Amino acid sequence: MNIVVNLSSKLLNEALKGLLAQDKDVCQTITVYTSDSAVGFVPDKVLVDATTLDHLFPPEWDGANIILIDTGLAEEEVIRLLLSHKLDGVISTWAGIDLFRKALQAIHGGQVWVDNRKLKAMLHHRPASLPPHPSQSLSRKEREIVLLVAEGQRNREIADQLCISEQTVKTHLSRIFKKAHVTSRSQLVPLALKYKL
């Protein structure tokens, strides 16, 4: 495996490089702090964090598995990143070395990896005021808007994508908030995950 470690923390970059260097038979690693410093290198895996995930990658990285290193993100943020990026895995920094290696091998084998503790927290997270089945009362257009909100899109972007006015988006959001018994956009993220699943 050719692995690029592209994290915003130099300390974490060096730690992962050292860990991966122990498995010389399994992988050749390269550590970079910007995607510019790995020009010409074609990785199988790219390890990123929430900060570096939004950077543009070189075209030769297009076929690589993108793995998010979760440095303590809130469940809503992890869900938003899963919905808005093509991620092949999420590995928490609390994972032990054996679990980290197991995750890399699973992803290398074509599986998607989200550790059980994080997955359970995301699936079972529901604000107390959220009714059990709000999806039954939301229209198709409202469900589309919930998914776009969870991706972090603003009202203007949603309006442009759905070819409706910004005022119509606001009206839909007002109805969605009432139906789902929520008061903020971030509370719609768990609902969006259920639609995605």
Side-chain angles (χ1 to χ4, degrees):
M1 272 185 271
N2 291 330
I3 300 177
V4 168
V5 182
N6 192 24
L7 305 175
S8 55
S9 164
K10 187 173 182 177
L11 178 64
L12 200 50
N13 265 321
E14 294 302 322
L16 281 176
K17 181 181 177 184
L19 174 66
L20 293 166
Q22 294 174 8
D23 287 333
K24 289 183 179 167
D25 297 336
V26 176
C27 62
Q28 167 197 351
T29 62
I30 182 170
T31 304
V32 295
Y33 304 115
T34 65
S35 54
D36 297 338
S37 54
V39 174
F41 182 75
V42 181
D44 300 310
K45 313 278 175 277
V46 179
L47 304 180
V48 296
D49 57 23
T51 303
T52 58
L53 181 59
D54 288 327
H55 296 171
L56 292 175
F57 297 149
E60 52 273 4
W61 293 14
D62 286 346
N65 296 119
I66 307 298
I67 303 166
L68 175 69
I69 302 299
D70 175 9
T71 55
L73 300 169
E75 281 89 19
E76 289 84 4
E77 181 63 9
V78 173
I79 293 168
R80 186 189 71 76
L81 293 172
L82 282 166
L83 291 171
S84 59
H85 293 83
K86 183 194 163 291
L87 295 175
D88 296 287
V90 178
I91 303 174
S92 297
T93 53
W94 61 262
I97 293 170
D98 291 336
L99 187 59
F100 177 74
R101 287 183 178 132
K102 181 179 178 181
L104 283 180
Q105 290 301 325
I107 293 166
H108 190 65
Q111 298 178 35
V112 173
W113 179 277
V114 178
D115 63 73
N116 286 339
R117 193 182 310 178
K118 185 61 85 175
L119 187 59
K120 269 186 175 177
M122 289 187 303
L123 292 175
H124 295 132
H125 173 74
R126 181 180 9 179
S129 62
L130 191 62
H133 299 290
S135 60
Q136 295 173 351
S137 62
L138 296 183
S139 70
R140 183 186 58 79
K141 183 69 74 180
E142 290 168 338
R143 288 191 295 266
E144 285 180 83
I145 290 172
V146 167
L147 289 170
L148 294 171
V149 165
E151 289 176 6
Q153 294 194 26
R154 298 175 185 223
N155 290 353
R156 167 63 29 217
E157 296 166 324
I158 294 170
D160 291 344
Q161 186 162 342
L162 298 178
C163 300
I164 57 178
S165 73
E166 192 171 355
Q167 184 57 46
T168 302
V169 172
K170 289 178 184 177
T171 302
H172 279 300
L173 281 172
S174 176
R175 284 190 200 128
I176 292 166
F177 281 17
K178 284 180 185 173
K179 288 179 181 180
H181 302 280
V182 298
T183 56
S184 72
R185 295 167 82 97
S186 66
Q187 290 175 306
L188 294 176
V189 172
L191 183 59
L193 178 63
K194 290 178 183 177
Y195 290 144
K196 264 301 213 211
L197 294 174

